[in-house]
Amino acid sequence: MSVAPLQTLPIDQLRQRSSTKWRRYPDDVLPLFVAETDFAPAPAITAALHRAVELGDTGYTPPDAGIAAAYAGFAQRRFGWQVDPARVRTTCDVMMGVVEILRHVTEPGDRVIVTPPVYPPFYECIPEAGAAVERVPLLDTGTAWELDLLGIEAAFAAGARAILLCNPHNPTGTVHTRESLAALADIAAGFGAVVISDEIHAPLTAPTAPDGLGAAGARFTPFLDASPVAARVGYTVASASKAFNLAGLKCALMVTADDATSSVLRALPDEVEWRTGLFGAIAAVAAFSPESDEWLDAQLVALHENRALLADLLAEHVPAARYRIPDAGFLAWVDLSDLGWGDNPAVKILRDARVALHLGPLFGAEGAGHVRINFGCSPELLREAVERIGALAR
Ligand SMILES: Cc1ncc(COP(=O)(O)O)c(C=O)c1O
């Protein structure tokens, strides 16, 4: 790949942003917590939104805003996955899509499996839909994390009705293999259970064997494309919001690949689709268009460099930290237990180093002693943050 890495905005411009990442803490804090990125936006998105602002194009999102067709093109180009736009519906964000699907595929009190450590809102969206959380932690093989298929099978056998999968996984950056996804689909099918796959981080899977970047890379498998059985038992919820930093614009897609699951989507109240933000729809169409591919490739290079830089910085300044380079995304799951800073080291790091990281224990009991670091920032910011943490560790 001969793409140059994408540049981030200068820090003085970032501090003018009004989003959570830049407003939650005072200016002496380096914000590496919430999952927003600091890159200059994709030009096709900026142009589309500028035009919408100039036109006062701020009304309701139309029935077919072009999101499904744009995503089908994107899925084909980026993942080699054929999506039928007629089997897609939209809503305001990924977590709302998950809640609305869960409401339709579970009964009140049904158990839904999550695989901790996992994105904290998973623990809230399941009760929001009237179901109950069942934990089957990821297996730590010593060099990687993977689904505990036997544990999941036991949970289904004991009555769990669905699993909320995170693929790629937040916070570990694990990209599940086609084999494990196909096996999961078979297990779920055997119990008449449902798989909901949150694929929000998929476009940020580290490219396979990027030239000169010295890593093997990973290959993302969309759950619905893992096997014919997966296409039957699965629902995917996706969005452009992580890969293109569009979370505030409120647009996500629910994707199916089978008549029965498509009819569940069609049965969702129209109100679910009305909640799609128009700016989110406009931005998503621009993000998923071929015009934004080059920007996304450049971001993948920047993230690839940062995920390796973080390993070097931790080795130099916080050698007690344990970090596995993630296969996807811009989030690093770092075990700081050996520093003796307690179950929630991000608290001390914020107080004494003025670096805001996401709190490990929020991801589940497995997060004790851990922090999640957002490296979707400039190498300079990442360096300063780790140096500050390192100074505390000395
Ligand atoms: C795995 C995962 N799902 C969902 C979300 C949130 O998506 P949304 O804002 O579209 O609900 C995030 C945000 O970081 C995430 O990491």
Side-chain angles (χ1 to χ4, degrees):
M1 195 192 290
S2 60
V3 181
L6 192 64
Q7 298 301 307
T8 58
L9 291 181
I11 187 91
D12 54 323
Q13 282 184 32
L14 290 168
R15 291 216 182 273
Q16 292 172 42
R17 285 186 173 175
S18 56
S19 61
T20 293
K21 187 174 190 186
W22 294 97
R23 289 297 165 90
R24 171 82 168 76
Y25 296 107
D27 279 2
D28 65 325
V29 170
L30 301 179
L32 277 69
F33 67 113
V34 71
E36 299 178 21
T37 48
D38 298 349
F39 298 104
I45 297 177
T46 313
L49 290 175
H50 265 152
R51 185 169 156 70
V53 170
E54 276 162 16
L55 289 172
D57 190 8
T58 48
Y60 290 112
T61 305
D64 184 4
I67 309 162
Y71 186 70
F74 182 84
Q76 184 68 62
R77 294 193 311 283
R78 309 292 302 193
F79 314 139
W81 174 33
Q82 227 178 325
V83 169
D84 177 355
R87 296 193 189 277
V88 174
R89 287 194 81 185
T90 66
T91 190
C92 68
D93 57 33
V94 165
M95 294 323 295
M96 181 57 70
V98 169
V99 169
E100 293 301 336
I101 294 168
L102 278 176
R103 275 194 226 282
H104 279 70
V105 299
T106 58
E107 298 291 332
D110 275 354
R111 276 172 291 123
V112 176
I113 300 167
V114 298
T115 57
V118 77
Y119 180 57
F122 277 23
Y123 297 107
E124 290 187 14
C125 74
I126 292 170
E128 185 180 343
V133 172
E134 167 114 19
R135 297 161 31 91
V136 181
L138 290 179
L139 284 179
D140 185 341
T141 65
T143 53
W145 291 274
E146 60 185 37
L147 295 172
D148 176 2
L149 292 170
L150 288 177
I152 291 168
E153 182 165 19
F156 280 140
R161 301 301 308 140
I163 177 167
L164 178 50
L165 184 70
C166 198
N167 179 36
H169 193 89
N170 173 2
T172 59
T174 308
V175 174
H176 298 299
T177 62
R178 180 176 296 276
E179 294 68 31
S180 66
L181 295 175
L184 173 64
D186 288 343
I187 294 167
F191 292 98
V194 163
V195 179
I196 301 177
S197 184
D198 174 342
E199 302 188 350
I200 196 169
H201 293 280
L204 296 176
T205 301
T208 303
D211 267 3
L213 290 176
R219 176 114 189 124
F220 170 70
T221 303
F223 179 75
L224 297 180
D225 199 36
S227 72
V229 177
R232 259 196 304 114
V233 299
Y235 296 81
T236 287
V237 190
S239 124
S241 67
K242 291 299 126 186
F244 296 88
N245 198 41
L246 301 172
L249 298 188
K250 296 294 170 193
C251 174
L253 305 96
M254 298 166 284
V255 186
T256 51
D258 172 81
D259 288 346
T261 49
S262 299
S263 61
V264 170
L265 285 195
R266 273 198 303 278
L268 294 177
D270 286 343
E271 204 43 46
V272 171
E273 192 136 21
W274 277 105
R275 293 180 192 137
T276 311
L278 181 55
F279 276 16
I282 291 168
V285 170
F288 292 138
S289 78
E291 238 186 307
S292 292
D293 282 353
E294 197 180 319
W295 182 94
L296 184 55
D297 288 339
Q299 185 183 208
L300 287 173
V301 174
L303 293 179
H304 192 80
E305 293 189 352
N306 276 3
R307 63 171 68 89
L309 172 66
L310 180 58
D312 292 345
L313 289 171
L314 288 171
E316 185 181 345
H317 300 287
V318 197
R322 276 177 284 168
Y323 162 60
R324 282 179 200 149
I325 295 183
D327 288 332
F330 50 85
L331 305 169
W333 186 235
V334 181
D335 183 354
L336 298 180
S337 314
D338 289 350
L339 287 170
W341 292 350
D343 280 354
N344 203 354
V347 171
K348 176 182 170 69
I349 292 169
L350 175 61
R351 189 188 59 219
D352 299 338
R354 308 304 283 158
V355 176
L357 306 176
H358 213 350
L359 313 180
L362 291 181
F363 293 78
E366 298 72 13
H370 288 66
V371 293
R372 194 193 71 179
I373 302 179
N374 175 345
F375 57 80
C377 60
S378 69
E380 295 74 28
L381 197 67
L382 192 59
R383 179 178 298 281
E384 184 176 344
V386 178
E387 282 175 0
R388 286 191 191 185
I389 299 167
L392 270 191
R394 276 198 292 275

